[in-house]
Amino acid sequence: MKESKAVSPPIDSRRWFVDELGKYLARKNLKQTKQRQALIDVFLGAATHVSAEELHSAARGAGLDVGLATVYRTLNLLVDAKIVEQKQFSEGRFVYEIAQPGGHHDHLICLDCGIVIEFANDEIERLQEKVAAAHKFKLTSHRLDLFGHCQKQNCERRAGN
């Protein structure tokens, strides 16, 4: 899996996740299968911004006999339940992370090695609100992804940057 600076979700986030998933499954008259639960456990234990392929590999590594199609179906269900967000940081590659309530953050993405660094900055948040107010615009959500080149000594695929 790609390196990520974020940590696994804290226990209260896990509780929120499980509770929200239970409510969603009940509304949709769906059952929580053992296979789906095992896959979700792998997802919750993974670093943030995991792709379906990375989750599939991690699940297989954990001994789960699960196909890639099942991984995609499970991730789509979690996105539909609004407890996981699908992001696209590079062309043709989607990654997934927990949609924690009140857990807003932005991203720095290296165009060379693909590292995703999460950050929160109160000054940026205030500036966005100020810009919205100046244009008589009420923000309901936003997303800030900054792309560039990390300065890690061991950045993969860097060619003279």
Side-chain angles (χ1 to χ4, degrees), residues 4 6-18 40-50 83-84 96-101 118:
S4 177
V7 295
S8 295
I11 299 300
D12 60 341
S13 293
R14 186 181 185 92
R15 167 65 60 203
W16 168 84
F17 188 95
V18 170
I40 288 169
D41 288 342
V42 173
F43 175 78
L44 291 173
T48 62
H49 310 112
V50 63
I83 56 177
V84 166
Y96 301 84
E97 70 176 336
I98 295 175
Q100 297 177 352
E118 295 179 348

Side-chain angles (χ1 to χ4, degrees), residues 111-124:
L111 295 169
D112 299 313
C113 68
I115 188 173
V116 176
I117 301 169
E118 295 179 348
F119 72 94
N121 184 295
D122 292 338
E123 190 175 345
I124 290 173

Side-chain angles (χ1 to χ4, degrees), residues 1 49-56 71 75 93-96:
M1 288 184 213
H49 310 112
V50 63
S51 71
E53 293 79 10
E54 290 166 338
L55 181 58
H56 179 250
V71 172
L75 288 170
R93 183 170 187 270
F94 293 97
V95 292
Y96 301 84

Side-chain angles (χ1 to χ4, degrees), residues 12-85:
D12 60 341
S13 293
R14 186 181 185 92
R15 167 65 60 203
W16 168 84
F17 188 95
V18 170
D19 290 348
E20 291 301 309
L21 177 59
K23 291 176 197 173
Y24 177 80
L25 293 174
R27 279 194 313 273
K28 296 292 185 176
N29 276 334
L30 298 171
K31 294 180 180 175
Q32 178 63 297
T33 66
K34 288 180 183 180
Q35 186 177 41
R36 183 185 296 145
Q37 183 58 55
L39 187 57
I40 288 169
D41 288 342
V42 173
F43 175 78
L44 291 173
T48 62
H49 310 112
V50 63
S51 71
E53 293 79 10
E54 290 166 338
L55 181 58
H56 179 250
S57 177
R60 301 285 292 190
L64 295 178
D65 184 21
V66 60
L68 187 56
T70 299
V71 172
Y72 274 108
R73 279 193 302 274
T74 300
L75 288 170
N76 287 336
L77 179 135
L78 299 175
V79 169
D80 289 345
K82 298 188 182 344
I83 56 177
V84 166
E85 293 178 346

